[in-house]
Amino acid sequence: MCAAGRRWGRRERAVLWCVLVSAWEAAWGQLRYSVAEEMPKGSFVGDVAKDLRLDLPALRHHDLSILDKGRTQHFALHGKTGHLVTAERLDREQLCRLVEKCVLRCEVIVEGEMQVYGIEVEITDINDNAPSFREAETEVRMSETTAPGSLFPLAEAHDPDVGPNSLQRYELSGDEHFSLAVQAGPGGAQRPELVLAKALDREEAAFHELVLRASDGGEPARTGTARIRVAVLDANDNAPMFSQAEYTVRVPEDVPVGSVLVTVTAADADEGLNGHVKYSLKKVSDMASQVFQLESETGAITLVRSLDFEEGDSYELKVQAEDGGGLFDTAKVAISVTDVNDNAPELTVSTALSEISEDAPSGTVVALLHVQDRDSGANGEVRCSIAERVPFRLERSFEDYYRVVTASELDREAVAEYNVTVRAADGGSPALWSSAVLALRVLDVNDNAPVFAEARYSARLPENNAAGALVLTVRAADADWGQNARVRYRLSEGRVRGAPLSSYVSVQAETGALYALRSFDYEEVREVGLWVRAEDGGAPALSSNVSVRLVIVDENDNAPQVLYPPAAAAAAAAAGAGWAGVELAPRSAEPGALVAKVVAVDADAGQNAWLSYELAKATEPGLFRVGLHSGEVRTARFPLARDAARQSLVVVVKDHGRPALSATATLTVVLAESVAELLSELGSAAAAPGEAAGSLTRWLVVAVAAVSCLFLAFLLLLLALRLRRWRRSQLLAAGSGALRGVPASHFVGIDGVRAFLHSYSHEVSLTADSRKSQLRLSGGSCCDTLPARPPPDEPAPLLGEDPAGARRADPAAPPQAQPNTDWRFSQTQRPGTSGSQNGEEGGAWPNNQFDTEMLQAMILASANEAADGNSTLGGGTGTMGLSARYGPQFTLQHVPDYRQNVYIPGSTATLTNAAGKRDAKSAGSSGGNKKKSGKKEK
């Protein structure tokens, strides 16, 4: 039981060891498979995707492929299944001539992961080759004196297969004189030798025919045969002998073709034909037979093809020296090839990027490289480096694979394209190297804002420029590329004198040209400051601003303006009217005395505003002079008696512009010693009216005549109205008998009617300006003159009703007051034209015909009343209070309330009954004393 447990433990450990080895190999990216030779194309070798633990759906994204190194591809990889298959029929003997274990290597790259995996495939041997001899027929010469037991080497058979399928045994048939002996050589090789078993007798048989058969160990076994003919010779007792049993030669691989590598020599003591030695190669490989050649007469071994240490580093030859009698000797020649640095490193770009963004982070993989050197030792040690000073570095990836990664941030504006040269050099002396160039274009990122060519711009623009004139051009450059470098210009918001900046100037978005949209006036705007923004086309866009200063240059477009004397004063002085523009100069003034000063200004600036004064015209030339720059008018000499008292001076004011503009000022200087003399002079001048004064007088006369005509027409119209009213009063007087039975107290006198009408009159005053009017209501109140009409719900007695019934209807009426002799109004309180104060007041008369007739009847009855009757207006509620003898039968209901018919021109206000009611209450409480009321109204 214990023994079984120990065996089981060893088995578990072996299995565990195999699993660990497999896991270690998989972790280091190494896969191993085996496949038999001579398999048809497309035969399955191994499942690479499964062994690399790659999901089948992700294979399209990973892009699994076999690296191409420029050599024959023996395997292929299915992209969909991940299976490794044979790309052609494989022959182990052809692929691995000198190697017993035939292993082919390839590399698989996963593009998405930038990872490389190594694969080793062992080509297993099958028995597809039979043993073969180099010569199908061989002749062996033996002396008849050869002693039995002598050994004669035979040509060896060659079988390319290995292992059990290789050559296993020899068999000899054909004659009893000979037997076969097989000797074991180094490495397990078998050397067939012919053994003379029985003495020869040339007389019995001059030739012996033998068959040598070689067999391998395959199933079924394959065989090869060689015919051996033994010629029996006469006796030759001395065999050739080599000078040494083994020749060793070391030659460099770069030895030229045709060179003699070594010469073998053998001596034979015999003479004649038996002493003539010839050399031949008895055992040589196919490769060696193609590289070396043995001279049969001299024994010189020459090089017929270039040596390559990488193909073969050692060769072993077996040379035989044979004399003419058939005796021979053998020697071994070992040729060692030393490595020479004759192979430059092979640098292959497995995968590489063609473009990279400039904002790629440091460490981004750009390319994957593979390097190898076929030399050995120090000659095969390769060192990779990047020659230029570029922001890239090399990192070792897997065995002989390197990655090119970014070492720092990239800047497209500094370098837009990189040609990265990777150099691989070996350790030979002199060193050999090779290089690969990686062309990499840097993609732009919008990381640069536009930059203006100048820190600030300024331009001078003459005023009165044409609208649309080009002022200046701003330019900004963007270090980016493409759309990110496309710059557009626009104005920042601003205002000039309260107006938007865009109404003054504009900028062309593409070119940056700044245009003036209007004509500038230096006197209004002297300087315009603005900001222009340049913005690129990136996302997000970057921008920068620059200040632009436009200085408006003044032009001489404003003539001087004379402030004193003013233009109106000068004109008036020239016309001889008034005091305007007149200066007084005493006749006793000395030369240089200041008379006046012309004051002028110019709206321009600079030289255009420099003013100069000169006297252009004078009544007496030489009497006055003008200061060139001050404008002061001074006397140039003493005034003379013959000089006119009134001097007119014309002063020209000029600026210094080009062309110069000018203005004139006219001064009137009176030569007088006193103000009285000045007034006398001015009066005499005004006594002679001119043509303009005569025209004004004519218009005034016409205006007065027109006003007079209008006034006369108004008087005639007023007279006609008076006559008409007088005629109506005469007609009413004839029919006054119908009112004789009415009490006289129900009527009012003419003065009372006038007072009634005056209470509703209004006063209108007109100014001389026909567009203005003034309306003023009379300040007097009618409350104490006429009580309001009784409410509509109280019945009004008609004419002819019984006074007693009226009294019964109003039992609460107060007793009638005594007559008052002071009831009459003054002349100024009476309404109408005759009683108005200013002759402009007029009463408001009723328009209803019935009311008019009733009022005329009352006036007629009042005319018949005695002059001493009581005219108090407060005789009772609802009556006029004319006289107590008429009784209260005649009420105010028979007299209409004319306040309803009065309107104010230019206003919507009317006199209402509410005021009348308020006045009636006041009248009732006053007790009939109307004298005070009249005074108050006054």
Side-chain angles (χ1 to χ4, degrees), residues 205-268:
F207 298 93
H208 297 270
E209 298 290 336
L210 304 175
V211 175
L212 180 63
R213 179 178 291 106
S215 302
D216 58 18
E219 292 182 4
R222 293 177 177 267
T223 60
T225 59
R227 298 179 64 85
I228 301 174
R229 183 176 183 179
V230 179
V232 180
L233 302 177
D234 287 337
N236 183 16
D237 53 354
N238 290 293
M241 294 183 63
F242 281 100
S243 58
Q244 56 190 46
E246 183 175 351
Y247 295 86
T248 302
V249 182
R250 294 177 60 87
V251 295
E253 62 175 332
D254 58 348
V255 64
V257 177
S259 301
V260 176
L261 303 181
V262 64
T263 300
V264 295
T265 58
D268 193 327

Side-chain angles (χ1 to χ4, degrees), residues 256-286:
V257 177
S259 301
V260 176
L261 303 181
V262 64
T263 300
V264 295
T265 58
D268 193 327
D270 295 330
E271 294 181 357
L273 185 58
N274 294 330
H276 183 70
V277 179
K278 289 186 176 181
Y279 303 94
S280 63
L281 295 175
K282 288 298 181 181
K283 182 181 180 181
V284 64
S285 62
D286 294 339

Side-chain angles (χ1 to χ4, degrees), residues 579 582-585 669-684:
W579 292 78
V582 177
E583 301 291 342
L584 175 62
V669 180
V670 176
L671 299 176
E673 293 295 337
S674 64
V675 176
E677 187 178 352
L678 173 63
L679 295 177
S680 175
E681 178 63 26
L682 294 177
S684 63

Side-chain angles (χ1 to χ4, degrees), residues 742-786:
V742 178
S745 62
H746 287 202
F747 293 91
V748 66
I750 187 67
D751 293 336
V753 173
R754 289 177 179 176
F756 167 74
L757 296 177
H758 176 71
S759 65
Y760 291 98
S761 65
H762 58 276
E763 183 178 16
V764 177
S765 61
L766 299 177
T767 64
D769 189 355
S770 61
R771 294 174 297 175
K772 300 179 182 179
S773 62
Q774 180 178 3
L775 175 65
R776 185 181 66 183
L777 294 176
S778 174
S781 174
C782 63
C783 299
D784 298 333
T785 304
L786 291 177

Side-chain angles (χ1 to χ4, degrees), residues 406 802 830 838 938:
T406 57
D802 187 8
R830 296 175 183 176
N838 300 325
K938 209 181 272 188

Side-chain angles (χ1 to χ4, degrees), residues 67-104:
L67 287 176
D68 184 11
K69 298 183 179 180
R71 294 178 294 181
T72 303
Q73 293 292 337
H74 302 293
F75 302 96
L77 188 63
H78 285 174
K80 295 182 178 180
T81 62
H83 292 171
L84 184 67
V85 298
T86 58
E88 61 181 1
R89 184 180 295 272
L90 303 178
D91 188 359
R92 193 200 67 83
E93 289 75 19
Q94 183 178 1
L95 296 175
C96 305
R97 295 181 180 179
L98 303 177
V99 181
E100 181 177 356
K101 185 178 181 180
C102 184
V103 178
L104 300 182

Side-chain angles (χ1 to χ4, degrees), residues 746 789-790 796-801 850-851 854-855 858 878 889-896 898:
H746 287 202
R789 180 182 298 179
L798 300 175
L799 293 176
E801 288 185 355
F850 175 76
D851 295 339
M854 291 295 294
L855 183 59
M858 288 187 294
Q889 190 175 10
F890 190 81
T891 65
L892 284 177
Q893 292 178 352
H894 299 87
V895 180
Y898 291 103

